[in-house]
Amino acid sequence: MVSQPSTPPHLTNVDREEEEAEAAVAAAAGAAEVAEGGRGTWKHAAFHVATTIATPAAYAPLPFALASLGWPLGVSSLVSATLATWYSSLLIASLWRWNGKKQVTYRHLAQSIFGSWGYWSIAFFQQVASLGNNIAIQIAAGSSLKAIYKYYQKDGTLKLQHFIIFFGAFELLLSQLPNIHSLRWFNAICTFCTIGFAGTTIGVTIYNGKEIDRKTVSYSLQGSSSTKVFKAFNALGAIAFSFGDAMLPEIQHTVRQPARMNMYKGVSAAYTIILLSYWQLAFCGYWAFGSDVQPYILASLTNPDWTIIMANIFAVIQIAGCFQIYCRPTYAYFEDRMLHDKHTTHFPIGDRLVRLILTSVYMVVITLVAAAMPFFGDFVSICGAIGFTPLDFVFPAIAYLKAGRMPKDPKLRLLVRIFNLAIATWFSVVAILGCIGAVRFITEDIKTYEFFHDM
């Protein structure tokens, strides 16, 4: 189990004085802090982080990723990605007030360290991650809703695209809530649904695995040599996607003082949930179905029916919360330019109308793409490779070094530098390989399926 340290590894000497300063600020300016929006506890941060990362759309593809890599490489890739992203999340949290100013968004944190090119680079990667993640979420939610529908209406005529539209309409309603903090109780429910989905799916997977003739289950890699290579590339992108969190500074902005310490606790608590759910589901799913496991694990389950339906219900609820967190950067970008423009009306009704128009356009675009190309596994991989890998692995490591937040001990400083550079280098390679694999399979799927295909 991941522990919950009071401070992350090697950061004690660096952060001690700033933690004391944050505590003093909290005592002297409590009312002002509430006005700025930092009212959440470390538990609320844990809810947000867990909802953002540990979504069924993220870890349901993990057994398929392991099947594309095999046991040795699959297990080592999953374990190393878990530890690397936990470490990277603590690094981002440590940069909350690194230059004396609050870094309230990922883009502004990058700008404060790297300048304007950092701002626009992170804005690009964040939008790719946000859009790709929400397209994958739409497809996953539609698939789960369709499975529930087919259980009660076996001869029903509604297609996957109908359920993607239904889910999009519900998300449009949730999008009218003003900010991430307003989602805290909904995300608390989503966190419990994460646990419920993981527990139910793991249990049903083991049950199904025991019913299968184990002699028929193969763990060998399938396809030609080139296919195996591209599948492995694709799997690396899927694993990167499963740990995607492009919103850590935005979440930390909702946390009360001392924000850094509360974020450390929240991140570690969330990763405890992630570890218990991710590893078990990935290993059990691959063990149960071997090389035949589906990209979305629920599609491999056969009985008992009521437990599969329950898992799908958990999935839809949890996915709804995750979608909301990932659409917020896009909303914030356009609202900053429209709602705060001097020519824009400042009447509440006018602001709400602008928000409704913005969110409606966003939802129409996401829903249309998800309905037209419902290739869940491919979107997961390309989103993980292009969007989440730079944000969750590469940027935190190099940003921490660039910011000069290094331990005082020379040996430890050298160790941290080597470790961070190794993470940044390796996952840059993973991003390139994952992108190659994802593009290859999207191209193949487009040849095989028509647009708006009922998967």
Side-chain angles (χ1 to χ4, degrees), residues 19 172 175 183 189 211 215 272 316 337 345 354 366 388 390-391 405:
E19 287 299 337
L172 180 59
S175 294
L183 296 164
I189 296 173
E211 284 197 330
K215 295 180 180 179
T272 300
V316 172
R337 282 152 180 75
T345 176
V354 170
I366 295 295
F388 288 122
L391 290 171
R405 302 300 300 272

Side-chain angles (χ1 to χ4, degrees), residues 353-367:
L353 180 60
V354 170
R355 183 179 185 82
L356 178 61
I357 294 172
L358 288 173
T359 54
S360 297
V361 171
Y362 179 89
M363 289 307 309
V364 168
V365 172
I366 295 295
T367 303

Side-chain angles (χ1 to χ4, degrees), residues 331-350:
Y331 296 166
Y333 179 82
F334 287 104
E335 285 177 356
D336 284 346
R337 282 152 180 75
M338 297 185 68
L339 295 182
H340 300 298
D341 187 86
K342 62 182 180 180
H343 300 296
T344 304
T345 176
H346 291 285
F347 291 107
I349 295 178

